[in-house]
């Protein structure tokens, strides 16, 4: 092979990598998004089933009661929040209609865990950062 042919082959390989790399890198973000949606779906189904079987009462007044109330309606352990560095299974329980939003207690820092309103049965991921699909996790 001549040097020109090798340069052409390297350029073609570079173009192919530049086209394929963004697609491969985004697969991880899509997997995280799908895991988050699936976990939320399981939790929402368990919450609705609990409320249906308990005359419209929502589960849990605090984190421990919430997890205990949902245990019979979940297959396996309580799901971990798939968002963030450390996949936490913590639940921030609010009541009296306090709105859920994806921030921490101080209103600025995000806490990557579940947030649950025990007066409405709403549960979200307590993280307002955009996922790789550009949808904030607290809107899933």
């Amino acid at each position: 092979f001549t040097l020109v042919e090798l340069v052409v082959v390297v350029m073609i390989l570079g173009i192919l990598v530049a086209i394929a790399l963004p697609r491969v890198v985004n697969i991880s973000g899509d997997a995280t998004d799908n895991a988050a949606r699936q976990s939320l779906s399981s939790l929402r189904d368990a919450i609705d089933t609990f409320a249906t079987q308990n005359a419209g009462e929502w589960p849990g007044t605090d984190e421990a009661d919430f997890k205990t109330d949902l245990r019979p309606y979940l297959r396996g352990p309580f799901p971990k929040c798939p968002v963030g560095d450390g996949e936490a299974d913590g639940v921030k329980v609010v009541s009296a209609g306090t709105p859920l939003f994806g921030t921490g207690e101080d209103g600025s820092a995000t806490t990557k865990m579940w947030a649950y309103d025990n007066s409405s049965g709403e549960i979200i991921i307590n993280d307002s950062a955009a996922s790789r699909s550009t949808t904030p996790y607290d809107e899933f």
Side-chain angles (χ1 to χ4, degrees):
F1 295 104
T2 66
L3 183 61
V4 173
E5 290 172 328
L6 288 175
V7 168
V8 169
V9 168
V10 169
M11 286 176 42
I12 290 172
L13 289 175
I15 291 170
L16 290 174
V17 166
I19 292 170
L21 190 61
R23 294 176 191 261
V24 171
V25 170
N26 198 27
I27 289 173
S28 175
D30 291 343
T32 300
D33 290 351
N34 290 333
R37 285 186 178 98
Q38 182 62 38
S39 294
L40 271 172
S41 177
S42 296
L43 285 173
R44 287 173 177 155
D45 287 345
I47 290 167
D48 289 342
T49 303
F50 178 91
T52 301
Q53 293 182 355
N54 291 281
E57 294 293 321
W58 298 110
T61 56
D62 60 19
E63 180 178 353
D65 288 343
F66 178 72
K67 289 180 177 181
T68 301
D69 288 346
L70 291 188
R71 186 172 295 134
Y73 305 100
L74 294 170
R75 191 178 282 177
F78 192 85
K80 293 183 178 188
C81 185
V83 176
D85 300 331
E87 293 191 354
D89 67 349
V91 180
K92 179 176 107 175
V93 178
V94 299
S95 57
T98 305
L100 292 177
F101 49 91
T103 60
E105 298 297 328
D106 63 356
S108 61
T110 59
T111 54
K112 294 163 174 69
M113 57 191 269
W114 306 113
Y116 168 68
D117 182 350
N118 67 358
S119 65
S120 69
E122 181 184 8
I123 189 164
I124 64 169
I125 295 174
N126 192 32
D127 183 14
S128 59
S131 65
R132 294 188 186 210
S133 66
T134 68
T135 303
Y137 284 116
D138 61 348
E139 293 179 12
F140 276 179

